Amino acid sequence: MRRKISLMLIGLFMAVSVFGPAQASRLDEIRERGTLRCGVTPLGESLTARDVEGRFVGFYPDFCRAIATAVTGGTDTVEFVLVGTNNRFDAIRSPDLDVLVEATTWTLSRATGMGLSFTAPYLFDGQAFLVSRKARYRHIPDLKGASVCVEGDSTSLENLKAYNTAKGLGLKIMEFSTIEAAFSALVERRCDAVSTDYTILASIMLSLASNPSEFALLPELISKEPLTPVVRAGDEAWANVVRWVVHATLEAEEMGITAANADRLRKEGPPEVRRFLGAEPGFGRTLGLDDAWAYRVVKAVGNYGEIFARNLGEGSRLKLPRAANALWRDGGLLWAPPMR
């Protein structure tokens, strides 16, 4: 018995030495603080911007509010923190930011070598080119020898360099600190095109161009860009909360739950719907949340289809098709693991 106890103590000592003492999850810190610090980047009215009242609006702020309401119970508990491509990863690795919710691409090098945890894709995008209609560029090969503005320190820059080399286009690549600066250079005719994610180009064009009809997006994409919320690595409990909030918006759309019918379905829906909405014992405890967290998310921002339609789809000025961002059952790439 004495030998068995000694072995157990040795095992415990080794575990503490290797893994260190247990640390509280960011989830507990956020609840104690009462606010979610959500990192966002200005990307135009459809993605992230301030309205005339100074309120953050767009696809990404909606997901900030979804996460906040799941954890704290209210959508007004988000503290929006502006970050840029040059400091966003330092910001999320610091104690000052809880989650990064913007157009961050999930890549191998970022997921394995930067102390980051990528959660669940909420937008599938691809890199495109925006040009002036007067220049009469119609397809990417027409840009041969042209100057292209791009935001530095981004996957867009690396994609553009690789594509330029592979296709032998001889592009003159000009780097800028922000996508707004790159677009301004296009407007001022200091470059022939600007390149980044399709949705960013479309949103920036609507927000910054005095006459958006003077510009056109070329039809081809040169990359795949799976975009996800990002948290600091090493806190799986917090990463799981963010991950399943995204999943919950997709699951709600699959189930036909909307902001308008959530109250009725919580009372009258089938058992799996009422469980999802927290009317019956559900899955809150395993996430460290109460059982009504998904109900609050849907009531606050709607299901994924509603979020997309309001900001990017038919309810927005962009009017983008769902395409790859449709649910799997509708031919898209988005799906949620079963919530059971």
Side-chain angles (χ1 to χ4, degrees):
M1 175 65 73
R2 184 175 300 168
R3 182 172 181 271
K4 186 178 294 186
I5 292 174
S6 298
L7 289 173
M8 290 173 62
L9 290 173
I10 290 171
L12 178 60
F13 174 78
M14 290 177 65
V16 172
S17 299
V18 173
F19 298 107
Q23 296 182 347
S25 170
R26 181 61 65 98
L27 174 62
D28 300 318
E29 297 177 23
I30 295 165
R31 267 201 293 251
E32 183 176 350
R33 188 193 314 136
T35 59
L36 173 81
R37 294 185 293 220
C38 193
V40 294
T41 303
L43 295 171
E45 67 178 67
S46 295
L47 296 176
T48 303
R50 292 180 186 267
D51 64 14
V52 292
E53 298 176 350
R55 183 174 183 267
F56 277 93
V57 294
F59 181 85
Y60 295 122
D62 274 355
F63 273 97
C64 289
R65 293 186 176 95
I67 298 166
T69 195
V71 176
T72 69
T75 59
D76 59 350
T77 59
V78 182
E79 179 185 341
F80 290 97
V81 180
L82 291 177
V83 298
T85 56
N86 61 336
N87 71 346
R88 55 184 167 168
F89 297 137
D90 288 336
I92 192 58
R93 285 191 296 260
S94 79
D96 301 325
L97 202 63
D98 300 318
V99 60
L100 185 63
V101 179
E102 52 104 61
T104 303
T105 303
W106 188 355
T107 69
L108 173 64
S109 59
R110 288 175 173 177
T112 58
M114 299 183 68
L116 307 173
S117 180
F118 290 76
T119 54
Y122 51 15
L123 197 64
F124 286 98
D125 211 340
Q127 188 165 336
F129 292 82
L130 182 70
V131 299
S132 169
R133 289 188 186 275
K134 294 179 181 178
R136 300 188 181 279
Y137 298 118
R138 295 294 178 264
H139 298 277
I140 292 177
D142 299 336
L143 289 169
K144 189 167 185 176
S147 56
V148 180
C149 294
V150 65
E151 187 174 9
D153 196 22
S154 65
T155 55
S156 297
L157 174 60
E158 300 308 315
N159 291 340
L160 186 58
K161 288 179 177 179
Y163 189 82
N164 187 33
T165 299
K167 300 297 183 180
L169 291 176
L171 300 175
K172 301 175 184 67
I173 298 173
M174 303 169 61
E175 296 182 35
F176 291 82
S177 59
T178 65
I179 189 60
E180 294 97 333
F183 180 76
S184 293
L186 174 65
V187 173
E188 296 163 5
R189 300 184 181 179
R190 287 185 283 139
C191 56
D192 301 307
V194 60
S195 184
T196 190
D197 296 356
Y198 187 99
T199 56
I200 295 176
L201 291 174
S203 183
I204 289 290
M205 177 180 65
L206 284 182
S207 298
L208 299 183
S210 57
N211 185 1
S213 64
E214 293 179 354
F215 300 91
L217 280 154
L218 300 186
E220 302 92 350
L221 301 179
I222 67 170
S223 72
K224 57 182 178 183
E225 307 294 329
L227 310 177
T228 88
V230 183
V231 298
R232 184 169 55 178
D235 188 344
E236 192 58 23
W238 175 231
N240 267 331
V241 170
V242 175
R243 182 176 296 122
W244 283 95
V245 167
V246 175
H247 291 330
T249 66
L250 298 168
E251 187 82 350
E253 184 178 8
E254 283 199 38
M255 289 181 170
I257 305 170
T258 67
N261 68 20
D263 287 322
R264 176 178 61 80
L265 291 177
R266 200 176 189 213
K267 297 176 181 177
E268 305 171 0
E272 65 271 17
V273 170
R274 284 185 280 117
R275 188 178 305 114
F276 175 86
L277 294 171
E280 295 185 3
F283 312 104
R285 184 177 60 83
T286 59
L287 288 172
L289 304 174
D290 64 292
D291 284 337
W293 67 271
Y295 164 74
R296 291 195 300 273
V297 167
V298 177
K299 285 292 293 181
V301 299
N303 64 38
Y304 184 89
E306 291 178 284
I307 297 170
F308 188 96
R310 179 168 62 247
N311 296 297
L312 304 174
E314 64 269 18
S316 73
R317 287 208 293 157
L318 282 186
K319 302 195 181 306
L320 297 179
R322 287 286 292 270
N325 294 295
L327 295 178
W328 63 276
R329 68 184 184 192
D330 301 323
L333 299 177
L334 289 172
W335 58 277
M339 295 183 69
R340 60 172 181 257

